[in-house]
Amino acid sequence: MRAFYADHFVLPLPEGHTFPMGKYEKLRDRLVAECPGIRMGQALPASDGELALAHTPRYVDAVAHGYLSPAEQREIGFPWSPRMAERARRSVGATISAARAALIDGEGVAANLAGGTHHAQADRGSGYCVFNDAAVAARLMQAEWHRLHRRLLRVAVIDLDVHQGNGTAAIFQDDDTVFTLSMHGAKNFPFRKQAGDLDVDLPDGCTDEPYLEALDDALAALWHLHGVAPPELVFYLAGADPHEGDRLGRLRLTAAGLAERDRRVFDACHDRGIAVAVSMAGGYGRDIDATVAVHLATLQTAFLAWQRRAPTTPQRQVA
């Protein structure tokens, strides 16, 4: 299985900043040590043209050249710097590469060790999200799929980060080729939600059993609404922030509950022959090692799902 990373682009953040920049290198180190079957590839940056598939040219240019206003930078939560812009491009590039490996190369499952930047909208960033990696990759995969097969590619976003994927919902609100499913804390950020195709609000303190019941219902609704034409590509945002130890999550899922969540998503996609590009999304644990352990378990489950699918085309080399 292939996984793509960009953790060598570290942003200089002030002491006490809630964004856990160090978790990405820790995650990659553990994968190298414990999961030799996962092949690492350094993410390439998304181009301006690729970013413009989901973002306005003005916004892409403002991020690229440092024209973001102080208010725009505050909404994103990061000060602008060349490294911030490059990291944002490569986070999108990692999801593009994962989607291409899973779908175009026929591997079935691939991963971005970061990503899940679902608060970014077409013309602005928000909530530590500069560009919307799943939105850009979805549009690009639709274009590549049409070029190869001369037919429509239906896509679904299964967003299980604890925060609602408002940016993704806004970008695809008038696009019936991309289905957005978000399960999130009802009282958590963003406090004004953007309606997606299927939104599941969860109460504060939600534990494993009711969460997994809600997930089963949501997945059943997703497949039912697609009838006999299910999506052929899923972007799975496997946030670690529903974990009981998360500083920003407000839910109470155990590590075992999150592992079961992942298994159900991957099993459901496998049973329907759907390719999956998984990204780690949020995770802000009081103990960063606990967050990394949740992400690691997600990738181990993804690897088991990948093992169940034999590649249908020759594998490309990873740079």
Side-chain angles (χ1 to χ4, degrees):
M1 186 184 102
R2 290 193 246 175
F4 299 87
Y5 65 90
D7 55 64
H8 46 301
F9 289 90
V10 177
L11 307 187
L13 298 176
E15 187 70 27
H17 197 285
T18 56
F19 190 79
M21 190 65 66
K23 76 174 182 177
Y24 302 105
E25 184 177 6
K26 284 177 173 282
L27 176 60
R28 181 159 63 95
D29 287 346
R30 286 201 62 182
L31 281 170
V32 170
E34 301 176 38
C35 304
I38 297 180
R39 295 172 292 142
M40 302 294 178
Q42 182 173 311
L44 298 174
S47 69
D48 285 359
E50 289 167 342
L51 294 171
L53 293 171
H55 295 285
T56 64
R58 184 215 70 85
Y59 179 62
V60 172
D61 190 62
V63 174
H65 297 104
Y67 302 148
L68 293 171
S69 70
E72 288 176 311
Q73 293 179 60
R74 283 194 299 271
E75 186 172 357
I76 290 171
F78 298 140
W80 184 88
S81 68
R83 292 183 72 84
M84 176 267 222
E86 186 67 13
R87 181 182 182 275
R89 284 184 184 275
R90 289 179 183 259
S91 183
V92 176
T95 296
I96 289 172
S97 293
R100 191 174 282 137
L103 178 71
I104 305 297
D105 294 352
E107 294 201 18
V109 181
N112 178 356
L113 301 191
T117 46
H118 58 170
H119 299 311
Q121 302 195 25
D123 61 350
R124 63 188 183 276
S126 179
Y128 305 147
C129 303
V130 182
F131 298 123
N132 194 308
D133 60 304
V136 173
R139 291 245 168 97
L140 183 59
M141 290 306 101
Q142 287 182 318
E144 292 189 6
W145 191 255
H146 187 269
R147 177 176 57 82
L148 289 170
H149 301 286
R150 293 293 186 266
R151 63 181 178 84
L152 173 70
L153 174 71
R154 294 196 177 277
V155 175
V157 179
I158 299 178
D159 188 341
L160 302 188
D161 186 289
V162 80
H163 305 105
Q164 196 232 7
N166 59 319
T168 313
I171 288 170
F172 293 120
Q173 62 182 338
D174 297 319
D175 186 344
D176 62 6
T177 70
V178 179
F179 188 94
T180 59
L181 184 168
S182 178
M183 272 183 55
H184 48 262
K187 297 181 180 180
N188 213 321
F189 180 88
F191 304 110
R192 179 175 296 177
K193 307 293 192 282
Q194 170 74 46
D197 294 304
L198 179 57
D199 290 296
V200 181
D201 295 326
L202 301 168
D204 284 0
C206 183
T207 55
D208 291 352
E209 185 175 353
Y211 183 97
L212 293 170
E213 289 177 358
L215 175 60
D216 286 343
D217 290 344
L219 291 175
L222 168 61
W223 313 132
H224 175 74
L225 289 168
H226 281 83
V228 296
E232 293 175 275
L233 174 63
V234 159
F235 289 91
Y236 174 34
L237 279 60
D241 41 13
H243 186 250
E244 59 191 349
D246 198 87
R247 289 177 292 167
L248 305 182
R250 300 172 65 162
L251 304 188
R252 293 177 55 197
L253 271 70
T254 65
L258 287 166
E260 177 62 18
R261 171 201 72 173
D262 295 337
R263 186 191 67 77
R264 294 187 188 194
V265 172
F266 284 113
D267 281 357
C269 292
H270 177 270
D271 291 346
R272 293 163 177 81
I274 301 171
V276 183
V278 58
S279 58
M280 297 301 96
Y284 311 90
R286 298 176 185 90
D287 176 1
I288 193 171
D289 290 329
T291 298
V292 169
V294 172
H295 288 320
L296 179 68
T298 294
L299 291 163
Q300 289 170 330
T301 303
F303 179 66
L304 292 175
W306 173 83
Q307 285 184 310
R308 295 166 64 189
R309 279 188 68 161
T312 56
T313 61
Q315 299 176 6
R316 298 182 184 180
Q317 294 297 314
V318 180

